[in-house]
Amino acid sequence: DETREFIERYGVNPDVLLSRSSSKIKKRNDFVPSQEPKPPRETHKLLQVLGGSARRKKLLSPKGMDVRPMMEVVKGAAFAILQAAGGSPVSLRPGRWLDLYSGTGSVGIEAISRGCSEVHFVEMDPWIVSDVLRRNLDSTGFLESSVIHTTRVETFLENASRYLGNDPVFDYVSVTPPYMLVDYAVLMQQISDSKVVGENTFMVVEYPLKTDISDSCSSLVKIAGRRFGRTQVAIYGPVWAQRSR
């Protein structure tokens, strides 16, 4: 009633004005932006374990480019270098492996297949963890030898003691990040500052062509490097491994 009296003071018919306003409000409330549902994410079996107890086992990987697993030729070369550097050309030295940016888990699974006793997988995508990584571990029989951390790599490295307790140092570390989403200088410094790398750790780092990468990380030195088209891989290890090579 107060609104109608206020409108009438200015010589305007309140019934006409209020009916127009209500129709505009109704039209605005009726508008709902169209949101097309995202297509469900799918998987296929294009990867396999290359060596060890689970050799030739097929692994799931997501269709599309949201996850980019390490190429099998790169993975095979990296493990051959690690085995030779550790003094055993047919298998890895027993130990624990840390698989950063694990995605499908193909690198960590390869490590268990070739002799590692335990692998910690760090992957932030819950769907990848539940529908790809965990299913791959189950199909290969390696679920009991695995620990999955569904978190960001940066968070994991900053809080290694909280995730790992009193034994945060690993015998092996693999670093296979999405190329365009990381700054390698920052990432390598984060790894160097963390507690996951020890004096006898071996580390595999995959990176794109034309990327500057350090010749050392913490106490580790670069003992080998390989190029595969636009992909490069660097192997870091203790000084004694470089001398033995």
Side-chain angles (χ1 to χ4, degrees):
D1 291 340
E2 292 178 354
T3 303
R4 294 175 66 87
E5 291 178 3
F6 180 79
I7 294 172
E8 287 176 346
R9 291 178 189 173
Y10 291 89
V12 179
N13 187 336
D15 294 327
V16 175
L17 185 60
L18 293 175
S19 63
R20 288 177 181 174
S21 300
S22 61
S23 65
K24 288 180 181 179
I25 293 171
K26 186 177 181 181
K27 287 180 182 179
R28 284 199 298 267
N29 291 340
D30 288 343
F31 175 74
V32 178
S34 60
Q35 293 181 348
E36 295 183 3
K38 293 182 179 180
R41 299 168 77 177
E42 299 178 344
T43 59
H44 50 186
K45 288 190 174 182
L46 293 182
L47 304 175
Q48 66 175 346
V49 183
L50 301 179
S53 61
R55 184 170 180 260
R56 295 182 180 174
K57 282 267 191 180
K58 293 291 185 180
L59 301 176
L60 291 170
S61 60
K63 291 182 178 179
M65 295 299 292
D66 51 344
V67 173
R68 182 195 52 77
M70 176 183 275
M71 293 188 298
E72 292 188 346
V73 63
V74 179
K75 184 170 66 173
F79 275 89
I81 294 171
L82 287 174
Q83 289 171 187
S88 175
V90 295
S91 64
L92 290 170
R93 291 184 304 124
R96 297 196 311 159
W97 188 291
L98 174 61
D99 189 1
L100 300 176
Y101 305 96
S102 57
T104 64
S106 69
V107 177
I109 289 171
E110 191 78 33
I112 303 175
S113 180
R114 292 178 184 243
C116 274
S117 56
E118 181 181 85
V119 174
H120 287 245
F121 298 87
V122 182
E123 171 56 48
M124 65 177 289
D125 189 328
W127 182 84
I128 294 295
V129 169
S130 62
D131 286 46
V132 181
L133 173 57
R134 193 176 292 276
R135 290 172 65 184
N136 282 337
L137 292 170
D138 190 43
S139 67
T140 53
F142 295 154
L143 196 55
E144 292 186 0
S145 304
S146 305
V147 180
I148 300 173
H149 305 277
T150 309
T151 186
R152 295 174 59 87
V153 166
E154 297 84 355
T155 303
F156 180 85
L157 293 173
E158 289 173 3
N159 302 277
S161 296
R162 179 163 62 88
Y163 287 102
L164 303 167
N166 296 325
D167 190 18
V169 177
F170 286 86
D171 301 282
Y172 303 92
V173 178
S174 55
V175 186
T176 56
Y179 292 163
M180 299 299 114
L181 300 182
V182 299
D183 182 322
Y184 275 84
V186 173
L187 175 60
M188 295 296 285
Q189 188 61 51
Q190 289 173 335
I191 295 172
S192 180
D193 293 340
S194 74
K195 298 181 179 180
V196 301
V197 173
E199 292 182 356
N200 295 308
T201 300
F202 285 89
M203 185 167 68
V204 181
V205 181
E206 187 184 39
Y207 61 100
L209 194 62
K210 297 182 180 180
T211 299
D212 292 328
I213 195 162
S214 175
D215 288 332
S216 64
C217 181
S218 186
S219 61
L220 308 181
V221 294
K222 188 176 179 181
I223 62 175
R226 295 288 186 274
R227 176 181 170 183
F228 304 88
R230 297 168 66 182
T231 296
Q232 297 195 117
V233 62
I235 310 293
Y236 296 83
V239 175
W240 60 259
Q242 186 185 46
R243 289 171 181 168
S244 66
R245 282 180 59 82

